[in-house]
Amino acid sequence: MKIHHFLCAAIAASIPSLVCAQSNSSQPDYTKFAVEPGAQLEVWSWVVGLDSVAKDFEKEFPNIKVKVDNIGGGPTEYQKLQTAIKAGSGAPDVAQIEYDFLPSFIVTDGLADLTPFGAEQAKSYFVGWTWGQVSPDGKIVYGIPQDIGPLALMYNKKTFDKYQIAVPKTWDEFAAQAEKLSKASQGKVKIVNFFADYAPWFIGLAWAADGKFFETSDDTWSQELNNPIAEKVLTYWNDLVKKGYATTYKGFTPELYNAFANGEIAASVEAAWGPGVMAASLKERTAGDWRVAPLPQWKAGEAKSGNWGGSAFVVTKQSKFPRAATLFNIWLNTHRSAVLNNWYNTGIFPASIQGLADPELHMPDKDPSKFCGGQNVVQVYADAAKGVNVDFAWSPWFAFVNDNYNKQMSEMVAGKFTPRQALDAWQADSLKNAKDQGFEVKSQ
Amino acid sequence: MKKQSKIAYAFLAPFLILFVAFYLSPIVYAAYLSLFTKKRIGLRAAQDVFSGVTNYIRGFQDVNFLTSLKNILIFGIFQIPTMLIAALILALLLDQSRGLLMRVCRTIYFIPYTIPIAIGGLVWGCLYARDLSPVNQLLSTLNLARIDFLSPSLILFSIANITFWTWTGYNMITLFAALKNIPDELSEAARVDGAKRWDIVWRIKLPLLMPTFQLLFLFSIIGTSQIFAEAWVLRPIEYVADNITPNVYIYLTAARDTNYSYAAALAILLAAVVFAISSFLLRKLQPH
């Protein structure tokens, strides 16, 4: 390293460029990774524009060919991937998996340990806690972090201004403004959407209130989906729904985006990747009208947040080119151009330290910042990330927990369950499923 | 081995190889899989351990699986007769008509069957979606209450409606082809004997149609027990229960909960139930 630095200094003296600053430590030295000759990688991911980023990778590493397949987002991909893992063939080399679903793949033994392929060299380039998400036991590394999803409040400034709604700092203020907005618009405009079909969204909100759902110690799991904090948060949201202040559109549906576009919904609790998805989905409609504010707090003056999603890029055990795959994953999530393009294309909020600090991420004339009126969206979410309690665990049966949330919330939204009943049923069903799957689970 | 039988096996080989590879071996593999359960320790990779018929016993006690069977039973009792009788009436009407109108109608009725269910289901999903549905938009402009086509109480009917739309035309075409196969001499002879149009339908055509009808009935029972895509494509639009049909439940048990062994046991149980029901009904229907 010393020699390397010296050389750099020598070169820098003669060439006035940023070469040194870059090769210094902002990104790993990719040349150190030995890869299999003639590697061909198949990548499963739902990140928009990843194919063009993969082409940049191929330019830098002409000996590695990359084919990107978008076979569906989230659970759709997971079910296909689990099936391919069980079948023993048909899995891609690289796949995108959200942190909350990673344990369900660890226990099916489908993911390669990346430590023999030099994953540790990348560790220092990522926000500390994300490494804990991809390496739950601190030894085996199951993936390379891509992004994080701290929560904040996206709001339509035009609508807020029109009805003279103040940006709420606490949930009390939020409820008050929700009522004001509803009255001022004769019930036409709702302040927010309640996502009754995305458990990680709700868990993120409870996370921001210090809620915890899963823990593991000595090979035994515990699950508390119906914890008191979850009840407090869900009761609050159920009130908003019951009073007609919140819509209950399904997430990522045309109906939801129509409602955002035609001004029916004035704000949304969105993860850091949310503005990017919103910009890509709404395109010209309401572009420039949105802003991002910190997540409302339960206690005034605090700055807590939770996390929704965020993905890792894993290498499957079936891959014939795990070294090349590891290099791709590290490059994709640390290399400057890749990190920037992922942000511009679809608002992937990087888990890499250098990526977060990159001034170009703030470009006001490019989406998602442009979609938010040129606001420095990154700063709001970077601050939100600091308020996320990093000690948070998931469970291998989370795929079921996620689906079952949908069931219980449908009942609650339909008025058949109180929040308490919905949470209790969620806990009971999920506990039964975990036990049926053979997990040893405790609950208090 | 005699020369003759060698030749026979050579001719049979293309079928036998495919039959064994793609039909028998998956069944054998499923049966083998179904005898294992998972042993898990914390976050470590799960171990498969042999546990005999444990999965089958669990299947019999699994409320979700039993509910899915009940759902499909109710579904079948209503949907199969409705669909087959509609198909029969349409086929008879087509049989009575001639010319361009007949051909246009025949094609129109058959088209839904040619549309992949993934696409047909999405279209139906939009028709059923609470806020997007044209029916509901019409109802709300008339200040009437919206219909929640995908609510737990209506979802089975909504799915039945999709299968009705898809399969009535297919059944109609099959019945229509069978009607065309009935020799004209029979009708002519009956007419000479003084039979009216209705008598010919009732006493000549329908009895001769019975074997085809029974076959379609059997196919419908099997098809109903296998319903998956119609329910699956509606899931992203509105919450559809895991146990809405046996195949949805089995798929989720396998692909989502990665419990392949238990899913295999349930699939075999389902096959056994369907086999029992269809052979019972067939025996009842056969003229003695």
Side-chain angles (χ1 to χ4, degrees):
Chain A
M1 280 305 261
K2 285 260 167 67
I3 295 171
H4 190 66
H5 278 192
F6 171 76
L7 275 176
C8 267
I11 296 164
S14 55
I15 309 165
S17 76
L18 289 169
V19 171
C20 274
Q22 277 196 19
S23 67
N24 197 348
S25 70
S26 70
Q27 52 199 34
D29 183 358
Y30 304 114
T31 57
K32 278 190 179 164
F33 292 84
V35 299
E36 302 87 350
Q40 294 184 328
L41 302 178
E42 188 185 350
V43 179
W44 283 4
S45 163
W46 59 88
V47 171
V48 177
L50 194 69
D51 39 353
S52 75
V53 178
K55 288 221 166 61
D56 295 341
F57 176 80
E58 285 178 331
K59 261 180 227 148
E60 198 168 331
F61 303 94
N63 296 327
I64 306 175
K65 293 275 164 279
V66 184
K67 185 169 145 274
V68 179
D69 283 329
N70 181 349
I71 65 158
T76 314
E77 186 209 84
Y78 303 146
Q79 287 162 12
K80 287 174 186 160
L81 189 56
Q82 290 285 21
T83 307
I85 287 169
K86 172 67 186 171
S89 69
D93 300 275
V94 170
Q96 176 185 0
I97 299 176
E98 288 156 285
Y99 302 127
D100 29 3
F101 288 86
L102 202 58
S104 66
F105 285 90
I106 295 173
V107 296
T108 43
D109 202 21
L111 308 182
D113 177 8
L114 304 187
T115 43
F117 315 125
E120 286 292 329
Q121 293 176 48
K123 184 177 176 179
S124 59
Y125 295 91
F126 290 95
V127 175
W129 68 272
T130 62
W131 205 260
Q133 298 272 318
V134 296
S135 182
D137 68 353
K139 286 178 224 121
I140 302 173
V141 178
Y142 292 101
I144 303 296
Q146 173 161 75
D147 67 324
I148 53 177
L151 293 171
L153 184 72
M154 247 187 118
Y155 65 97
N156 187 324
K157 189 169 185 297
K158 243 182 167 173
T159 312
F160 267 42
D161 288 351
K162 184 178 167 193
Y163 296 104
Q164 298 174 322
I165 301 300
V167 178
K169 289 196 173 62
T170 64
W171 288 114
D172 283 339
E173 286 174 30
F174 188 87
Q177 298 299 319
E179 188 180 355
K180 184 180 169 191
L181 178 62
S182 179
K183 282 192 177 140
S185 68
Q186 277 109 40
K188 280 197 191 104
V189 183
K190 323 269 181 180
I191 198 161
V192 77
N193 187 59
F194 172 73
F195 290 84
D197 56 339
Y198 279 84
W201 176 82
F202 169 71
I203 289 178
L205 281 168
W207 187 345
D210 295 322
K212 279 201 173 186
F213 293 77
F214 304 101
E215 257 168 308
T216 169
S217 63
D218 300 332
D219 293 340
T220 310
W221 295 89
S222 67
Q223 174 194 280
E224 300 294 337
L225 302 180
N226 52 353
N227 62 71
I229 291 168
E231 190 182 357
K232 173 177 86 170
V233 174
L234 189 61
T235 307
Y236 176 88
W237 281 85
N238 188 48
D239 281 347
L240 290 180
V241 173
K242 272 202 310 205
K243 288 178 180 157
Y245 303 157
T247 54
T248 52
Y249 291 109
K250 302 284 163 185
F252 310 102
T253 57
E255 290 178 297
L256 174 66
Y257 291 117
N258 269 338
F260 283 134
N262 64 28
E264 189 192 336
I265 307 173
S268 187
V269 175
E270 295 285 341
W273 42 265
V277 175
M278 198 95 114
S281 306
L282 292 180
K283 301 207 166 64
E284 292 308 309
R285 297 182 293 171
T286 64
D289 297 349
W290 294 83
R291 298 291 183 276
V292 182
L295 191 71
Q297 299 294 311
W298 290 98
K299 241 186 240 162
E302 286 187 336
K304 289 182 175 173
S305 186
N307 199 68
W308 178 17
S311 300
F313 272 62
V314 303
V315 177
T316 66
K317 278 196 172 167
Q318 288 176 27
S319 173
K320 291 195 188 80
F321 313 104
R323 290 178 181 279
T326 305
L327 171 62
F328 174 76
N329 288 353
I330 292 172
W331 181 90
L332 177 68
N333 298 308
T334 55
H335 191 274
R336 186 158 187 259
S337 78
V339 168
L340 288 177
N341 280 325
N342 285 337
W343 170 253
Y344 298 144
N345 289 340
T346 187
I348 295 291
F349 192 72
S352 98
I353 295 167
Q354 197 62 31
L356 277 175
D358 201 310
E360 264 213 45
L361 223 55
H362 304 175
M363 294 265 270
D365 56 339
K366 280 198 175 179
D367 278 339
S369 290
K370 188 180 157 203
F371 187 79
C372 297
Q375 189 192 359
N376 188 347
V377 173
V378 177
Q379 193 57 53
V380 180
Y381 279 110
D383 290 343
K386 287 179 200 147
V388 176
N389 174 11
V390 298
D391 177 23
F392 195 87
W394 302 96
S395 75
W397 60 95
F398 189 71
F400 179 89
V401 174
N402 183 45
D403 263 9
N404 194 258
Y405 167 82
N406 195 347
K407 176 183 180 185
Q408 313 304 350
M409 292 306 126
S410 297
E411 300 275 356
M412 186 190 79
V413 166
K416 287 176 198 151
F417 276 171
T418 65
R420 175 86 238 167
Q421 288 169 324
L423 288 172
D424 285 346
W426 190 27
Q427 166 76 3
D429 282 7
S430 302
L431 198 65
K432 180 174 183 307
N433 180 276
K435 286 180 176 167
D436 282 348
Q437 287 195 46
F439 292 102
E440 261 185 59
V441 194
K442 285 186 307 196
S443 71
Q444 276 141 25
Chain B
M1 207 186 285
K2 277 188 200 159
K3 197 184 171 194
Q4 213 179 354
S5 57
K6 268 185 195 163
I7 292 170
Y9 277 113
F11 275 111
L12 279 173
F15 164 75
L16 278 179
I17 290 168
L18 292 176
F19 181 74
V20 170
F22 295 108
Y23 194 85
L24 273 189
S25 60
I27 294 176
V28 173
Y29 181 59
Y32 168 77
L33 263 189
S34 71
L35 302 174
F36 291 84
T37 53
K38 284 207 187 303
K39 188 170 182 286
R40 300 180 187 269
I41 304 158
L43 246 186
R44 269 170 273 165
Q47 308 284 323
D48 285 321
V49 286
F50 184 83
S51 47
V53 293
T54 314
N55 282 328
Y56 290 91
I57 294 167
R58 200 182 127 196
F60 280 115
Q61 298 164 340
D62 186 337
V63 181
N64 282 318
F65 182 60
L66 297 177
T67 309
S68 73
L69 288 178
K70 194 190 82 190
N71 282 346
I72 221 68
L73 189 71
I74 298 170
F75 183 99
I77 288 171
F78 287 102
Q79 200 268 343
I80 296 174
T82 319
M83 172 183 70
L84 288 183
I85 289 168
L88 183 65
I89 293 170
L90 286 175
L92 288 169
L93 284 174
L94 278 185
D95 187 47
Q96 298 294 317
S97 45
R98 295 281 175 275
L100 187 65
L101 184 71
M102 183 270 273
R103 266 172 293 178
V104 170
C105 286
R106 193 178 56 186
T107 311
I108 288 175
Y109 294 143
F110 191 65
I111 280 176
Y113 175 70
T114 63
I115 297 172
I117 186 58
I119 293 162
L122 282 180
V123 174
W124 280 107
C126 288
L127 292 173
Y128 288 157
R130 192 166 46 121
D131 300 291
L132 287 181
S133 169
V135 179
N136 279 339
Q137 283 176 2
L138 184 73
L139 286 175
S140 48
T141 52
L142 296 172
N143 276 328
L144 294 168
R146 292 174 173 189
I147 303 170
D148 245 339
F149 293 103
L150 300 175
S151 65
S153 50
L154 284 183
I155 181 87
L156 272 181
F157 290 97
S158 299
I159 294 171
N161 187 36
I162 301 178
T163 49
F164 183 86
W165 172 82
T166 314
W167 291 96
T168 305
Y170 167 85
N171 288 312
M172 177 207 71
I173 286 285
T174 316
L175 290 168
F176 180 66
L179 279 170
K180 286 286 158 206
N181 269 338
I182 297 172
D184 280 342
E185 293 81 9
L186 289 176
S187 308
E188 273 170 32
R191 219 168 291 138
V192 171
D193 287 344
K196 296 267 169 355
R197 227 181 186 188
W198 177 247
D199 292 324
I200 295 173
V201 169
W202 192 248
R203 291 170 190 277
I204 310 263
K205 295 202 166 168
L206 275 184
L208 287 170
L209 216 49
M210 266 334 266
T212 312
F213 196 78
Q214 282 174 8
L215 191 70
L216 290 178
F217 184 62
L218 182 66
F219 284 171
S220 299
I221 293 174
I222 296 169
T224 301
S225 74
Q226 304 286 333
I227 284 177
F228 173 77
E230 290 84 351
W232 189 254
V233 292
L234 297 177
R235 259 175 90 92
I237 299 163
E238 193 59 64
Y239 173 73
V240 175
D242 290 0
N243 55 17
I244 188 77
T245 75
N247 264 2
V248 169
Y249 183 59
I250 291 169
Y251 175 80
L252 287 170
T253 302
R256 182 192 63 197
D257 303 339
T258 64
N259 207 338
Y260 296 92
S261 301
Y262 183 49
L266 291 182
I268 287 170
L269 282 180
L270 173 65
V273 169
V274 175
F275 182 76
I277 291 178
S278 38
S279 50
F280 171 77
L281 286 176
L282 268 190
R283 203 165 298 160
K284 286 270 159 198
L285 285 170
Q286 291 294 339
H288 294 286

